[in-house]
Amino acid sequence: MMERGVEIIAGNTMLVHIVDICTVTSAVVLFLLMIRPLMKRLPRIGMYILWFLVLVRILCPATVNGIYGLLPEKVEQSIGSIGSYMQVEGIVEKIEMRRRNTYGGSANGYRLPKEIQIRREDTPRLSPREDKAGKPAALEKTTAVRGKVQETDKGKTMDVLKQLRQFQAGEWLLVIWGAGVFCCWLYMVFSILRTRWRYSDALWLHDNVYQHPLADNSFVMGLLPPKIYVSENLSAEDRRYVLCHEQVHIARKDYLVKPLAFTIFSLLWFNPLIWAAYYFMMKDMEISCDEAVIRKLGCQEREYYSHLLLSLASGRRMAVSQNPGFSAGTVKERILSVMRYRRPGRAVTVMLCAAVVLCGCGIVSEPVKKVESMPEKQEKGLWVEKDMGLSMDDEAADEYNKKHQKKGEETILSQRPLECVLDSRGKPVQFVKLDDEKEKEVSYSKFEGNEDGGWSKAENTWSAEYKKRFPGRNYDLERYKYGWDGFLYLYVVRYNLCKADAWYTVGQGKSLQVLERHLMRVDEKEGTMTEMPVMQEPEGEMDFAVASDGTILLVDQRNRAELYNGRTLEKTGEFDMPQRMSCVYAGDGFWTYLTYDQKSKKIQIRLLDEAGDRLQDFTTEVDYKGEARPFAALGVKDNTVILACGEGIYEAEPGEKKLRYILGHETDNIYYLWSELYGYVVVSVFKGDNGDYYAAMKEYREDTAIYPDESPYDPTLFLHYSQLGDTDGGGTN
C-alpha cells in the first residue's frame, strides 16, 4: 500500500515538491520545539524570530552552503533521501532517455537496437509467465503469432489503464490539497470580513482607537491605517496598558505577520506540526509583546499588568485569522513570563543575538561537502553492453531443419546452446545439440566467440568419443564447466526415457527417472574422456566444481558435499553447504556459492576453505523473497569473486570487507542486466582475461522456480561487457 502511494506521488511533480517541503519543514519545526524550553530563559523575541524560519523553509525548502548545519546529519540525509526516492520516476526517465541516445557507444551508432525497440513497444515490462500446463512444442509454434498479438494488446491495455489510474490518483490528491488550501484561505477571509462587519459601527475615541460593546478584548484590524478596537468596560488606567500593548504590535507589524503566517502555513494544512508551529509562534508573539510593554513602562508595573491579563482571561478567544491583540489566550504562561521578566543586560542581549544567528544559520544552511575524487572505474571509461547473439538463432535453426528434412534426414538442431561458458583461455564457448531422431543418437557442435562479437564453428574433438560412451538419446548432457586444471568437465545423466520426448510419454503414465550419472573429464587436445567420481545416491540434481589442484567438489540438492582427489579419484572429505541456492565455484583455495540471510532477507556470497569451513560472507543488496533460484549469478576468476544482478556487476577478494561496484545501469550503458525493466535475469557471469565480462541471461518467469520445464543454464542472451575505448583487448572501440 505504501509503495502504491509513493508510486502515485512520484508520478506528479507538484506532489513531489509538496512532500519535499513538508519533510524539510517538519524537521525544522521539531528542532524548534526541542530548543523552545531552553530559549524561555532568554527574551522571548528571540524565539519569535526563529519561528520565521519555518515560513522561510516553506517558501524556500532548499538549503544554502555554510560552515555548519544545525540539523543532525542523519536528518539532513533522510530529508535528501526522501526527496530522491520520491523522484525515482524522473530519474528512471532520465536514464531511459540516455539509453535511447547512447546504447552500446560508438560501436552501435549510439542508438537503441531493434530488438529492444520491438520488445519495449510490443511486450509488457516483464515477460508474461508462459503456459506450463502442457503444450507440445509444435502446437506452441502454431499459436505463437496469435498469442503474441493477444499478449501485446493485453499488455498495452494494462499499461494504459495503469498509467491512467496513477494519473487520476495523483491529480485527485493534488485537487484535495488545493481544496484544503482554498478552504483555509476562505476561512481567513471570511473571519476578517465577518469581524469588520461586526465592528463596523464602532465608536471612534481618538487617533486610531475605536470602542465597541461587543469587544471582549482589544485587537488590531485593518491595513491602512491599522485600527485598535477596545472594550468599553475598560477603565482609563487599564486602557493605557492595553493601548501600549497594541501600539507595540503595530510598531512591529504583527497585525500583518499573523494573516501572512496563516496563509503560508495553510499550504501544508494536512501536517499537524505546521499548526503546532503556528500556535507557538502566536504565543511567542504575545509574550514578546508583553515583555516589550514591561520594558517600556518599567518593571514596577509587572504586578498590575499581570492582574490585567488575569482579569481579561474570561474574554472570548479570538478567531485564529484575526489580527493580534490583547487577547487572553495562554494567559498562564504570559503571566509567568511577565513576573519573571528582568530587563536584559548587555551579556544577555549578546547571548540572545548569538543564539538567534547561530540557530538561524544552522537551520537554513548545511556544511559544504568535500568533493571526493571520481572512482577509478570512471577514469577508465564507460562500460557498454553488446549482445553476442547465440550460435544459431531461431530463424537460422528453422532453415537448418527444413533443409535436412527435405533430404529425408531426421536430424534436428537445437535452437539454443546448452550453456555459454569461458574456456581455460578465457574465450567464450558453447556446445549446440544435434539430435538425430532416426538413428536415436546425439552429437554436439562446438562454437567459439570471435573478435567481432559473433560465433564461429570450431572443431569438437570429443564428439565421436561421446557417441561411443553415450549412444542413446536418453543420455542428456546436463552441465559442462572448465575446471581450474584446464580440462573440460561434462555432467551426463541417463534417464529411462528420452528427455526430449518425455513431454509426450509422461502423459501416458510413464515417469522420467534417473538411471545413471557420469562426470567426464575431457582432454580437448586429444579428444579423450576419463570417468570421474560421482555421488552414489545424490538427492535431486548434482553440481560440481574443480579446483586448481584437481580436487573435485560434488554437491546435491540437500547441500551435502563430497571431495575427491582428481588424480587418485579417492574420496577425501565431506561437509554440508547450508542454505545453498546457486551453483558452486572453485577459487584460489576456497569454494563459494550464494546463500541468504534470514534476518535481512538479502542474498549473501559465502566462502568456504578447502576443507569446507566457513571463511567469510559478503552481503549483497539483492532481495530474497523465497525464490528457488536468486535473481543473481556468481562467478570466480582466479582469486576474485564476481556477482551479477539487476543492480550491476560487483567484485571482491577474500579478506575484503565488502563488494566493489564495477558497472551497472546507473553509471553505464547497460540494458539487459536491468531485470526490472527488460524482463531478463542473469544466470551466469564470467570475467575474461582482458578484464571484460560475459553474462548469460534468461527470460523472466513469474514462478518461484523461474525455469520449471527446461535447464536454467540454456541462455536466451549472451552479453559482452567492455569499456568504451578499451584497446587492451576484447573491448569495443
Side-chain angles (χ1 to χ4, degrees), residues 28 31-32 35 39 46-47 49-54 56-57 62-64 66 68-71 76 352-366:
V28 174
F31 176 76
L32 293 179
I35 68 171
M39 295 292 289
M47 194 64 214
I49 294 174
L50 288 178
W51 286 116
F52 282 88
L53 297 178
V54 181
V56 173
R57 275 304 185 105
T63 58
V64 296
Y68 68 98
L70 209 56
L71 293 180
E76 294 280 8
L352 175 65
C353 293
V356 172
V357 172
L358 291 175
C359 291
C361 293
I363 290 175
V364 300
S365 66
E366 61 181 6

Side-chain angles (χ1 to χ4, degrees), residues 194-391:
R194 177 176 175 272
T195 304
R196 185 183 294 275
W197 171 80
R198 186 179 186 185
Y199 296 102
S200 60
D201 58 344
L203 177 65
W204 176 76
L205 296 180
H206 60 85
D207 298 329
N208 63 336
V209 180
Y210 292 81
Q211 178 179 288
H212 198 280
L214 297 179
D216 296 315
N217 295 297
S218 64
F219 59 93
V220 179
M221 185 174 64
L223 298 178
L224 295 173
K227 300 176 182 179
I228 301 176
Y229 293 82
V230 296
S231 173
E232 63 181 8
N233 299 324
L234 292 176
S235 63
E237 185 67 15
D238 291 344
R239 186 179 299 166
R240 183 173 70 91
Y241 284 92
V242 168
L243 292 179
C244 183
H245 180 97
E246 304 305 337
Q247 288 168 358
V248 171
H249 276 310
I250 292 176
R252 299 193 320 187
K253 310 297 182 183
D254 288 341
Y255 64 95
L256 298 177
V257 170
K258 189 169 186 178
L260 178 63
F262 185 85
T263 301
I264 296 175
F265 283 143
S266 297
L267 296 174
L268 301 178
W269 56 267
F270 54 88
N271 188 349
L273 287 175
I274 292 300
W275 297 116
Y278 179 80
Y279 171 78
F280 286 108
M281 183 179 183
M282 296 302 103
K283 178 185 287 190
D284 292 331
M285 172 196 289
E286 294 296 336
I287 294 176
S288 64
C289 188
D290 293 336
E291 293 177 348
V293 171
I294 298 301
R295 185 167 59 252
K296 182 177 180 180
L297 299 178
C299 292
Q300 65 275 9
E301 303 291 342
R302 290 180 302 179
E303 183 176 353
Y304 186 87
Y305 191 83
S306 299
H307 283 295
L308 179 60
L309 285 174
L310 187 60
S311 64
L312 295 175
S314 59
R316 289 181 296 177
R317 187 179 299 274
M318 306 300 292
V320 72
S321 62
Q322 290 183 12
N323 289 305
F326 199 88
S327 62
T330 66
V331 64
K332 181 178 179 180
E333 185 174 352
R334 292 178 64 183
I335 292 175
L336 292 176
S337 179
V338 167
M339 296 304 296
R340 288 199 304 259
Y341 180 77
R342 298 287 187 275
R343 183 179 293 273
R346 182 177 298 177
V348 175
T349 303
V350 172
M351 186 182 301
L352 175 65
C353 293
V356 172
V357 172
L358 291 175
C359 291
C361 293
I363 290 175
V364 300
S365 66
E366 61 181 6
V368 179
K369 295 180 173 60
K370 184 184 295 185
V371 179
E372 298 180 357
S373 58
M374 296 297 289
E376 186 178 355
K377 64 181 178 64
Q378 293 292 344
E379 297 175 358
K380 294 181 179 179
L382 190 70
W383 286 90
V384 295
E385 180 182 69
K386 185 174 183 179
D387 182 10
M388 293 184 62
L390 301 177
S391 58

Side-chain angles (χ1 to χ4, degrees), residues 388-392 417 420 423 425 427-432 444-460 718:
M388 293 184 62
L390 301 177
S391 58
M392 186 172 289
C420 296
D423 63 14
R425 303 166 297 167
K427 193 175 185 65
V429 172
Q430 54 183 249
F431 296 96
V432 177
Y444 293 90
S445 293
K446 180 179 180 180
F447 289 84
E448 292 182 347
N450 48 42
E451 294 181 356
D452 61 2
W455 299 90
S456 57
K457 193 171 182 180
E459 181 184 4
N460 186 7
F718 192 61

Side-chain angles (χ1 to χ4, degrees), residues 137-199:
L139 183 59
E140 286 188 348
K141 288 183 179 180
T142 58
T143 60
V145 176
R146 182 177 57 188
K148 182 178 181 181
V149 172
Q150 293 176 349
E151 290 295 334
T152 299
D153 294 340
K154 182 180 178 181
K156 286 183 177 179
T157 303
M158 294 301 294
D159 286 346
V160 171
L161 292 176
K162 183 178 180 181
Q163 292 175 3
L164 184 61
R165 287 198 300 268
Q166 291 177 2
F167 174 79
Q168 290 178 343
E171 289 298 314
W172 275 113
L173 285 179
L174 199 58
V175 169
I176 293 173
W177 169 79
V181 174
F182 177 76
C183 290
C184 291
W185 290 354
L186 185 65
Y187 166 70
M188 181 184 67
V189 173
F190 173 78
S191 180
I192 292 176
L193 294 178
R194 177 176 175 272
T195 304
R196 185 183 294 275
W197 171 80
R198 186 179 186 185
Y199 296 102

Side-chain angles (χ1 to χ4, degrees), residues 607-669:
L607 272 63
L608 306 178
D609 63 14
E610 295 174 334
D613 295 327
R614 182 174 171 182
L615 287 176
Q616 184 180 359
D617 285 344
F618 288 107
T619 301
T620 74
E621 293 302 319
V622 182
D623 294 324
Y624 173 67
K625 300 178 181 179
E627 303 93 352
R629 302 182 187 275
F631 291 100
L634 187 64
V636 174
K637 174 67 174 178
D638 299 330
N639 199 38
T640 302
V641 180
I642 309 164
L643 175 76
C645 58
E647 289 74 15
I649 293 179
Y650 299 79
E651 279 188 357
E653 295 183 3
E656 291 190 87
K657 293 184 179 179
K658 60 180 181 179
L659 296 169
R660 289 178 277 109
Y661 175 82
I662 303 298
L663 60 92
H665 63 81
E666 292 289 348
T667 57
D668 304 285
N669 289 351

